Each structure stands twice: as C-alpha cells, then as structure tokens.
Amino acid sequence: MSRKPKLELTWIGKDERPRLEPRILIEDPSKSHHASAKREGDIFSNMLIHGDNLLALKALEADYAGKVKCVFIDPPYNTGSAFEHYDDGIEHSLWLSLMRDRLEIIRKLLAEDGSLWITIDDNEAHYLKVLCDEVFGRKNFVGALSWQKRTSPANDAIFFSKDHDNILVYARNVEIWRPNRIEFGASQEGNYRNPDNDPRGPWNSAAYTCAKNSEERPNLYYAIFNPNTNEEIWPKKTRVWAYGPEKHAENVKNRLIYWGADGKSSSPRIKKFLSNAKSVVPRSIWLNSEVGHNQEARGESLELFGASPFSSPKPERLLQRIIHIASKPGDLVLDSFAGSGTTGAVAHKMGRRWIMVELGEHAHTHIVPRLKKVIDGEDKGGVTEATGWQGGGGYRYFNLAPSLLEADKWGRWVISKDYNAPMLAEALCKHMGFTYAPSQDVAEYWRHGHSSETDFIYVTTLALTQDQLRAISEDVGPDRTLLVCCKAFNARVEDFENLTVTKIPHAILSRCEWGKDDYSLKIANLPEREPEEATPEPAKSRKAKTATPSLFDDQEG
C-alpha cells in the first residue's frame, strides 16, 4: 500500500535559511523607565528590545525557550501598499521565508501550554495557515477567528467591503493548552430570559443530549418521563442523553428540566441560570462592539501621540481579549512586531510580564513615550479604566549588540573592537550553549558560565601556556570540567583531563552570518528583476495552459 504524499507549501528560496548569530542584549538605562515607588505585585523585568526582530528572537532563545505563555504578532500584511512606518509590500516568496524563520523560533520560545496569535488579512492568510501547519503541526491549529475591524462598509470597494481581519491561533501543544473563558458582559446577559417566571431569575437552556451513540454509552440510553404528557421519552440511538439516570433524577428534583413553552417538547432542555453563569467559552467571531475597531484604535493613537499617530494600530480592547484568553497575571507575553506598543501597554495594565521587539524609529517616537505614560499613570485611555490601572512597574530598554566578529583590513574575521571582556564572555556563552553567570568569587576568575552544576566555561583573549593551563586545571579540580575559549594556546591540552581548550574566533567562525544586522521585511534593496524574453508558444501547448494551475502558483488565470 502506497502512502499519500505529504502536502507542503513550496516557494522560491524555501530551502535557503539564514545562519543567525545569537547576539547579546545591551541595556540602555537612559531609555529604561520605572515607577517612582514600588507597590506589591509591580513588575519591573519587562523588556523593550530595539533591533531586527529575527535577531532579537534568536537572542532570546537561550534564556526564554519554553517560557513564553502568549505570543501576539501583527506582521506587515504584504498588501502591496506602503505604510509610513512599514514597508508593507514584499514579494510573496520572500515574505513566506521571512515569516517561516520567525515562526520557527517563536515555537521554541512558547511554553508547552502557550499559544500564538497572528492578525492577518485575506491576502496571505491562507498561505500563512499552511505555513503555520508545517511549523507547529496541523493538529495544533486552534482556529481562525474573524475580527470585525470596520464600523461601516467601504462603499468604494469593487467586490466586497473588507470588514474583518483574520486571527490565526495555534497552540504549542493542543493537548495541553486551554483558553480562559470570557467574563459575562451585557451582550451575553441579553441571551437570558425568564419565560416561566422562575424565582431563581433569568436563564438560558442547553441541549439535554450529547454527541454519543447508544453503543458508546449504553448507560445514557434510557427513557425519561414527561410529566406534562405522561409519556416516556427516548433519545435517539445516535445521540443519547447527556446525563445518567441518577443525575437526571437530581435535575428533575431541582426543577432544571424545560419541556418547551407548551410543555410537550419531544426532547427536553436543561436550564442554565444567569446567577450561576460567570463566564462563557470564547467564540470565533469578534464583533467590534466587544473588542474595538480600526477607528477606535486610531482615536487611541491620536490621544497618545497627538499629531503623529501610528498608521495601523490595533485597539487595546482587542489585545485585552487575546491576552485574557491566552494568559494569567504574571505570565510572559511576547510581541516581536511591536508597532506602537499596544501589546506591551495592555499586558502591563493586565499584570502580565512582557517582551516587545521593534526595529523602526517609532520604538523611540511611539513606544517609549507610550510606556512612560502607562507606568506613570498618565494613560487614561484604552483599557485603563476596565483594568483598574493606576500606574506602576517598569521596563528595561535593550539594544542588540553589534556582530561579535568583524573583518579587519586584510579581510580576516576578528573579535569586534566594540566588545569588552564581559560582553565577549556573555557572547561566547550563547554560542557554546552555556548560561552566562560569572562567579563573584575572585578565586574562580575562570567561571564565566555553566551548562550544568559541574561543567563551566572560561573566556579570555590571552594566549595560554602549558603552565597557565595547568594552574587553571588544578583550580577547577577533578570533579568539574571547563571549556576554555582563548585567543591561542601553546600547550599539550591532552595533559588536562578536566579541560577542553579551543581558539576564538576559530571555534565559531563557520557557525553564523557575521556582520548582518537586518533581516527585516523590506524590499528596498532587492535588485530589479530582469525582463524575460517572450517565447512564442506552439499552438498545441496554448490550450494546455488553461488547465488548473498548481495550488500555490502566483499566476493570474
């Protein structure tokens, strides 16, 4: 028996993958900000990273793999139009490659019970869905939500008014991840009535059967009595009762059975009282009356930034809904396309920890001043009132460090002059898979990081001799091991069983693309495509061309 071929999304350049350098992060205290006083529960470990978001994700990988509860990204939609703050138009194949590279690291960062949320329009949504299926596994697809982003139709549309955006939701592990339910609001309360004047108040009803058949659950296939008609009622064999005989008797005693307005329904329903209902399961259609719309988001942006609003913001209520469903207070939320900082602002107000990444200058013109207002309690808009936010907490601002290696005047790769000793030690820890944790004990000068309780790393630009390595070996002792990264060595390293000695930069030279700082979604520097010569087609082949194209071809029919 032959297996069905695995279906994959293919595009030009799919097999070309960047060799990313795991950069370190350098804090700029002048741009970090915190509240003037500390309150119980305040969070100060939040991170705003300025730099290329793919390199930033790689920089986070070592320390945050498996720790992020919720990732929200609002990537450029690849619509072919240009926004002020984004180059939102890129060749389809390049867009897919750049998204794939980011999604693969995001998957590593997510906790086992974490989830990814992506806003996207119809232009790339279906390609992105298949791409996410490949990266996350199709079984971990949770749903495609529809967010009503407009308040009125676009009457100048040629075909349809584009009234919604898609939100693709993926779980890291669908067997573990569960959404938080949504608290009741006025729209949900409107579904509750009291047609029989029940003294317990308004109620709604649910089906009394379940999606099991009589062979699967024979104990749920039995007759129940309708007191209004004195008849025995049997469920269908293909859909039995949802409750066993004992539970049904309890439901009857508690007057929870509803037989319809005339009391003669062929299948009862069970009452669900508003007084007992605190939340509902999230639905797949999100109305703008519940989570905001584009006009609301622009109003929030104008309120925050005055004459320089962000061009394509998302409303705070939308992020509040996502963060509520996907996380709990204290959980870590990540947005690697931070834009104007809505995700971090809302996460902060909701008591979550957050990390945001943004490359553009609006990290300084929009995000920094916005977060200062949130922390200082000066942001009165968005979800401030709904969350009861009054200010507090803080964040740390980081830049991506420059590339560890640079070419000298002879074209040789050498350690960048921008790196001091601590930066070099931290960078080598990332490259070699160690946790950077320099010892505070001067006697353990060689202890810059660890990979286990007994395995350590030492980084130095010295050229080490036999005697120096012997001294280090004796300090380390027979029960511990040490990786020594040095500029050079003149010694018989096999003499030291507890040491592994390697040269830098030789040990890492072939691992990465050095000196590349920009993997962003931009096409400004792409070469122009050479025009192709038109080749006359044989008459017979022209008819064949009308056949259905490949599923993923970018041809016009």
Side-chain angles (χ1 to χ4, degrees):
M1 181 183 293
S2 62
R3 288 185 175 183
K4 293 182 179 180
K6 183 180 179 181
L7 297 178
E8 292 185 348
L9 181 63
T10 60
W11 65 87
I12 297 171
K14 179 178 181 179
D15 295 331
E16 299 174 10
R17 293 175 179 267
R19 293 181 300 119
L20 299 173
E21 177 187 356
R23 305 283 183 92
I24 63 174
L25 300 171
I26 308 297
E27 184 177 3
D28 182 349
S30 68
K31 295 186 177 71
S32 300
H33 189 67
H34 59 79
S36 57
K38 183 179 180 181
R39 304 174 309 176
E40 184 178 354
D42 277 356
I43 299 172
F44 295 89
S45 60
N46 304 305
M47 300 173 66
L48 173 58
I49 303 171
H50 183 239
D52 179 87
N53 63 6
L54 185 56
L55 286 171
L57 289 171
K58 186 66 177 177
L60 294 168
E61 185 178 355
D63 295 327
Y64 290 92
K67 297 181 180 179
V68 179
K69 192 64 176 291
C70 169
V71 176
F72 169 80
I73 57 174
D74 181 26
Y77 285 4
N78 195 19
T79 60
S81 61
F83 291 121
E84 179 183 355
H85 300 293
Y86 283 123
D87 288 328
D88 189 28
I90 196 166
E91 185 182 342
H92 172 69
S93 293
L94 181 57
W95 189 87
L96 288 170
S97 290
L98 296 178
M99 287 301 301
R100 185 270 317 274
D101 298 338
R102 287 154 175 80
L103 291 170
E104 287 181 340
I105 301 179
I106 285 172
R107 182 179 181 274
K108 295 176 183 177
L109 294 173
L110 277 173
E112 276 294 297
D113 59 348
S115 58
L116 167 66
W117 303 66
I118 313 174
T119 50
I120 195 76
D121 70 359
D122 287 341
N123 193 55
E124 292 285 4
H126 305 86
Y127 291 94
L128 182 58
K129 162 67 169 66
V130 180
L131 175 60
C132 287
D133 284 348
E134 288 189 25
V135 174
F136 283 83
R138 188 172 181 180
K139 70 174 185 178
N140 290 312
F141 172 65
V142 175
L145 315 180
S146 293
W147 165 49
Q148 185 188 23
K149 64 181 181 180
R150 298 180 62 92
T151 57
S152 58
N155 290 319
D156 58 348
I158 298 175
F159 301 111
F160 297 98
S161 174
K162 300 289 187 178
D163 294 341
H164 80 283
D165 273 351
N166 307 286
I167 305 176
L168 300 183
V169 185
Y170 279 80
R172 176 65 176 83
N173 185 341
V174 77
E175 300 296 329
I176 298 175
W177 184 78
R178 291 295 181 269
N180 296 320
R181 294 169 71 93
I182 298 171
E183 294 182 2
F184 259 66
S187 60
Q188 286 84 24
E189 291 183 11
N191 295 323
Y192 286 75
R193 301 285 188 272
N194 195 358
D196 60 351
N197 295 316
D198 193 304
R200 291 168 288 186
W203 52 270
N204 202 338
S205 66
Y208 210 68
T209 56
C210 67
K212 299 291 183 181
N213 59 50
S214 58
E215 292 184 2
E216 293 175 294
R217 299 296 302 273
N219 62 312
L220 299 180
Y221 184 69
Y222 62 95
I224 63 176
F225 181 72
N226 183 341
N228 302 307
T229 61
N230 294 321
E231 293 178 323
E232 286 190 341
I233 306 295
W234 288 81
K236 295 180 180 179
K237 290 186 176 182
T238 56
R239 190 175 177 88
V240 295
W241 302 129
Y243 308 93
E246 291 183 4
K247 182 62 178 176
H248 172 68
E250 185 179 330
N251 291 339
V252 172
K253 180 180 178 181
N254 292 327
R255 295 178 290 114
L256 296 178
I257 311 299
Y258 180 62
W259 290 96
D262 60 359
K264 299 179 181 180
S265 174
S266 60
S267 180
R269 295 179 68 83
I270 186 165
K271 288 183 176 182
K272 303 286 186 179
F273 288 93
L274 177 61
S275 57
N276 296 327
K278 297 180 180 179
S279 60
V280 293
V281 66
R283 304 185 70 174
S284 61
I285 296 178
W286 291 7
L287 302 178
N288 56 38
S289 59
E290 298 175 356
V291 297
H293 44 75
N294 283 344
Q295 187 175 348
E296 178 178 315
R298 292 189 188 100
E300 292 172 350
S301 188
L302 279 168
E303 183 71 22
L304 286 165
F305 309 119
S308 301
F310 194 72
S311 59
S312 54
K314 293 294 184 288
E316 288 200 8
R317 285 197 291 159
L318 177 66
L319 269 298
Q320 182 188 28
R321 169 70 64 88
I322 291 171
I323 292 170
H324 169 80
I325 293 173
S327 68
K328 290 182 170 63
D331 285 340
L332 182 57
V333 177
L334 168 67
D335 185 349
S336 55
F337 291 91
S340 64
T342 304
T343 301
V346 175
H348 202 100
K349 295 176 186 180
M350 295 177 69
R352 273 64 165 175
R353 295 176 295 134
W354 55 263
I355 300 174
M356 290 194 293
V357 183
E358 186 50 62
L359 173 62
E361 182 58 25
H362 50 287
H364 308 128
T365 59
H366 291 72
I367 298 178
V368 167
R370 180 177 195 168
L371 293 175
K372 285 183 177 179
K373 288 183 178 181
V374 172
I375 292 166
D376 296 342
E378 297 173 358
D379 175 9
K380 305 301 182 183
V383 298
T384 297
E385 183 177 347
T387 57
W389 181 251
Q390 297 178 344
Y395 71 93
R396 300 172 67 189
Y397 179 101
F398 294 87
N399 285 301
L400 280 171
S403 183
L404 175 59
L405 301 185
E406 62 184 10
D408 65 12
K409 62 181 180 180
W410 294 285
R412 299 175 303 184
W413 289 104
V414 297
I415 296 172
S416 170
K417 58 181 176 296
D418 293 324
Y419 276 70
N420 57 30
M423 290 172 63
L424 178 61
E426 184 178 357
L428 263 294
C429 282
K430 277 187 177 289
H431 281 278
M432 297 302 187
F434 286 74
T435 299
Y436 178 62
S439 175
Q440 302 303 309
D441 186 348
V442 293
E444 293 187 333
Y445 63 90
W446 46 266
R447 189 168 168 174
H448 286 151
H450 62 268
S451 65
S452 69
E453 293 183 356
T454 59
D455 187 36
F456 303 93
I457 185 174
Y458 172 48
V459 181
T460 177
T461 55
L462 296 175
L464 299 176
T465 65
Q466 182 83 5
D467 289 341
Q468 288 172 316
L469 285 173
R470 181 182 296 109
I472 294 171
S473 177
E474 291 172 356
D475 288 342
V476 172
D479 298 327
R480 298 182 291 193
T481 55
L482 181 69
L483 172 62
V484 179
C485 301
C486 58
K487 182 179 180 180
F489 58 88
N490 183 14
R492 298 184 305 276
V493 295
E494 62 272 11
D495 291 351
F496 313 110
E497 292 185 0
N498 59 350
L499 301 184
T500 300
V501 186
T502 188
K503 297 178 183 179
I504 51 175
H506 176 77
I508 59 173
L509 194 57
S510 61
R511 296 188 178 194
C512 310
E513 297 173 302
W514 303 103
K516 185 168 182 179
D517 297 316
D518 191 351
Y519 292 87
S520 59
L521 294 165
K522 295 182 178 179
I523 59 170
N525 298 322
L526 290 178
E528 293 291 333
R529 178 178 291 171
E530 293 292 331
E532 298 179 5
E533 281 191 30
T535 304
E537 291 185 84
K540 291 183 179 180
S541 70
R542 289 180 185 146
K543 184 176 181 180
K545 193 173 181 179
T546 63
T548 304
S550 169
L551 178 61
F552 300 118
D553 282 350
D554 287 330
Q555 302 176 32
E556 293 183 0

